[in-house]
Amino acid sequence: LAKNSLNQTLVSKIFTAKDIRNGTDSSEAAQVEYLELFSTATKKHFGSFSMNIYEMFEIFTQKGDGASLTAYVSAIKPHIADLLIITVPPQWQTFHLQLLNLWEKKFSAYSVILNGDDDPLRSFMAYNVIADIGKGNDDLQSTLNDLIQQLQ
């Protein structure tokens, strides 16, 4: 219950099926197209980063340098916008919604952390959500691997 309260306090938008382009084509070609568009969007927004998010946090917390983390956070909303215009095959819709909601959670938590001086309590709560974000990443990667496996 406490973790849900933390998540709800930090996240301003929860995506639902009404927010995405629900496709009806479940063919292999539609799924491959979805994966290609998803991959293109990810590379477009995050392909230039030379370090992972944990390294960005380390630099931010230990050296006070938030440039990389700020750039990462700035890329999230355009990435979400690109994900929202992709037509999603039926078997990928749950994954896609989970992905969008995870990105929204990342945006909210990381933004709060970057602006921690404004509200130390919200910043503390955001740091506590990072473990959930990591688990969400792992869970989505597993789901993605399973869906790709089914496609082959």
Side-chain angles (χ1 to χ4, degrees):
L1 183 62
K3 280 191 177 185
N4 280 343
S5 295
L6 282 175
N7 289 335
Q8 290 171 348
T9 300
L10 293 173
V11 178
S12 59
K13 169 75 176 155
I14 306 272
F15 292 99
T16 66
K18 290 182 269 182
D19 296 313
I20 65 172
R21 292 187 176 180
N22 293 300
T24 56
D25 184 355
S26 60
S27 70
E28 182 177 326
Q31 293 179 67
V32 169
E33 180 181 8
Y34 168 77
L35 286 170
E36 288 172 351
L37 292 170
F38 166 70
S39 177
T40 299
T42 302
K43 287 176 187 169
K44 173 182 170 186
H45 298 289
F46 301 103
S48 65
F49 289 98
S50 61
M51 63 181 91
N52 66 42
I53 191 68
Y54 301 108
E55 293 168 323
M56 291 179 204
F57 274 117
E58 185 176 332
I59 291 169
F60 177 66
T61 57
Q62 292 183 359
K63 297 181 180 176
D65 181 354
S68 294
L69 186 57
T70 299
Y72 187 89
V73 169
S74 296
I76 293 175
K77 284 298 187 176
H79 184 58
I80 289 172
D82 282 354
L83 293 175
L84 286 169
I85 61 173
I86 297 173
T87 299
V88 186
Q91 57 274 62
W92 289 86
Q93 290 168 6
T94 299
F95 167 82
H96 198 74
L97 281 172
Q98 291 170 338
L99 180 69
L100 286 165
N101 286 315
L102 184 61
W103 276 116
E104 187 65 29
K105 184 188 287 188
K106 288 177 184 183
F107 177 80
S108 298
Y110 301 167
S111 295
V112 167
I113 289 167
L114 279 169
N115 300 311
D117 292 340
D118 297 340
D119 189 342
L121 180 58
R122 278 180 53 88
S123 184
F124 174 76
M125 291 185 333
Y127 273 107
N128 284 319
V129 172
I130 289 175
D132 286 344
I133 290 171
K135 183 176 179 340
N137 278 334
D138 292 345
D139 292 347
L140 276 177
Q141 185 63 52
S142 179
T143 301
L144 177 63
N145 293 342
D146 290 346
L147 287 165
I148 289 172
Q149 186 70 30
Q150 292 171 19
L151 188 56
Q152 296 174 347

